[in-house]
Amino acid sequence: MIGDPRRDGAAANRRLVVSIHDVSPAFADPIEQLAETIGAILGGPRFAMLVVPDHWGRALLDRSPAFARRLRHWADAGVEMFLHGWFHRDASNHPTAAAAMKARYMTAGEGEFLGLGADEAEDRMRRGRAVVEDAIGRPVAGFIAPAWLYGAGARAALKACDFALAEDHFRVWQPATDAIVARGPVVTWASRSAARTASSLAVAAAARALPDWLPTLRVAVHPGDVTKASLMTSIAQTIGTLAARRTVARYVDLLPQGGAAA
């Protein structure tokens, strides 16, 4: 079995966590394709899904019963479900030049929680959580901001909402205590331009080749990845290669009570 720690003792101390982002009725077919591809590589639904309640204000989950049923099926099978913003769209007026640059260059207008105040961020988190939990029939595993970008308001709202876990580009942490449970960058892919695609393919190739010095390695895929064969080939190669050398883990396994913290 891929990722089985019984194969070698070292692998038991190195974890691989895989997630599918932007899970929404707007991308039902690509999400299904990614879930099938990753599930086949990992030997089952051993990954997380990041669910957007109303992607760009055009795809309400609670008005998409067929997709909600599919989400519950995945959750019942063991897929971890995270809340992933509300709209996944950044419509904020950013107060600082640094935040404006992040919003412009780090994401294509999708850093929804980068510029929100605490009250608005908390309202979207609470409403989104209710929608997703109603669909899946259980609590969400945590909250992950769109584009992994958090402003001060979002960080305050995370504490108020008592999510078990959150993550950004470089860490996974417990918002209630700020305790970090995993460190290191996320391996992901980009489909927006030829240059971004080439760069992401190079990074993925490096991740496959580099020594396994990180205790926890995270891999994230997006619906747009299915639009390019080169990306899907790289995703399959990367997840397969890393899973052969690591224990495939869930986010909950990163928690002290679920497994050893990194």
Side-chain angles (χ1 to χ4, degrees):
M1 178 185 295
I2 287 177
D4 188 341
R6 294 172 297 180
R7 292 177 300 102
D8 91 57
N13 297 317
R14 298 191 301 265
R15 296 163 300 206
L16 173 66
V17 181
V18 180
S19 60
I20 301 174
H21 285 225
D22 304 352
V23 174
S24 161
F27 307 116
D29 291 341
I31 295 300
E32 189 77 43
Q33 182 178 343
L34 288 168
E36 289 180 0
T37 297
I38 295 169
I41 296 168
L42 299 181
R46 303 161 66 194
F47 50 84
M49 286 185 164
L50 279 55
V51 185
V52 184
D54 187 14
H55 191 273
W56 281 58
R58 302 168 187 163
L60 273 167
L61 177 59
D62 57 6
R63 296 183 186 176
S64 306
F67 191 77
R69 287 193 297 271
R70 191 69 182 112
L71 278 186
R72 182 169 293 213
H73 173 80
W74 277 315
D76 289 344
V79 174
E80 287 182 295
M81 297 288 176
F82 283 79
L83 176 62
H84 191 41
W86 176 261
F87 292 122
H88 206 288
R89 181 184 179 189
D90 178 12
S92 301
N93 292 317
H94 297 284
T96 68
M101 287 186 67
K102 278 186 179 181
R104 179 176 179 182
Y105 293 108
M106 294 183 67
T107 175
E110 297 196 319
E112 178 186 4
F113 279 75
L114 180 61
L116 295 180
D119 289 344
E120 179 62 22
E122 182 177 343
D123 179 65
R124 294 190 193 189
M125 287 180 187
R126 292 192 184 280
R127 286 190 294 131
R129 184 182 215 162
V131 169
V132 175
E133 290 184 348
D134 183 62
I136 64 176
R138 68 198 67 214
V140 295
F143 176 87
I144 299 174
W148 293 289
L149 294 174
Y150 302 78
R155 290 191 291 271
L158 274 175
K159 290 182 178 292
C161 291
D162 196 30
F163 286 103
L165 284 170
E167 82 167 9
D168 61 20
H169 285 95
F170 298 106
R171 62 180 180 138
V172 183
W173 78 97
Q174 297 174 272
T177 62
D178 292 323
I180 297 173
V181 297
R183 298 180 186 271
V186 184
V187 179
T188 190
W189 289 263
S191 60
R192 292 202 307 269
S193 69
R196 288 178 179 269
T197 294
S199 176
S200 65
L201 291 173
V203 170
R208 298 194 298 269
L210 289 174
D212 289 314
W213 57 273
L214 284 172
T216 301
L217 190 59
R218 293 172 289 150
V219 171
V221 300
H222 294 78
D225 296 339
V226 308
T227 64
K228 294 187 175 181
S230 61
L231 294 182
M232 292 300 291
T233 297
S234 176
I235 287 168
Q237 290 175 339
T238 302
I239 294 176
T241 298
L242 296 175
R245 305 198 306 249
R246 292 173 169 268
T247 298
V248 179
R250 304 169 71 219
Y251 278 91
V252 71
D253 296 327
L254 305 179
L255 293 168
Q257 64 267 31

